[in-house]
Amino acid sequence: QVQLVESGGGSVQAGGSLRISCAASATTSNDYCMVWFRQAPGKEREGIAAIDWDGTTSYADSVKGRFTISKDNAKNTLYLQMDALKPVDTAMYYCAAASGAYCYTEPFAGWGQGTQVTVSS
């Protein structure tokens, strides 16, 4: 198991930018695919970005070209740079450490508590 703590959420106007972070309790560089999920009220959880142990990234179509996932292995920290934000991006954002064969599916070795991102029009 790995403990994860998100930070950096907040409120921003449409078109603005925000960077959220996810600090891990232990090294995740070689063991996990690190993933960002989000969940808006009344909607299903959505996997939006992932970065594998070798640095390979993937994005959901809804955020591709606007969001950038990265990690600092020395700091055991995962980031999500969000640009050109839209009101539809409003959600609780969670990071997770995927320990199986696929980044966006079980099993997960840890989840963060979430950080709220609110985008106003």
Side-chain angles (χ1 to χ4, degrees), residues 59-68 81 83-84:
Y59 298 92
D61 288 343
S62 57
V63 305
K64 195 173 296 183
R66 300 188 298 122
F67 290 10
T68 304
Q81 176 68 40
D83 298 317

Side-chain angles (χ1 to χ4, degrees), residues 19-96:
R19 188 178 80 159
I20 57 178
S21 303
C22 170
S25 60
T27 182
T28 60
S29 58
N30 294 323
D31 297 321
Y32 307 109
C33 177
M34 299 303 295
V35 192
W36 284 103
F37 288 85
R38 68 184 182 186
Q39 188 165 22
K43 295 193 174 182
E44 291 190 356
R45 186 179 68 193
E46 175 188 21
I48 58 171
I51 184 165
D52 215 334
W53 62 273
D54 62 355
T56 302
T57 59
S58 64
Y59 298 92
D61 288 343
S62 57
V63 305
K64 195 173 296 183
R66 300 188 298 122
F67 290 10
T68 304
I69 189 171
S70 62
K71 62 179 180 175
D72 185 331
N73 291 331
K75 296 182 178 179
N76 293 331
T77 301
L78 176 73
Y79 302 100
L80 186 68
Q81 176 68 40
M82 303 181 288
D83 298 317
L85 282 161
K86 306 174 182 178
V88 295
D89 295 318
T90 295
M92 186 72 79
Y93 284 70
Y94 301 89
C95 61

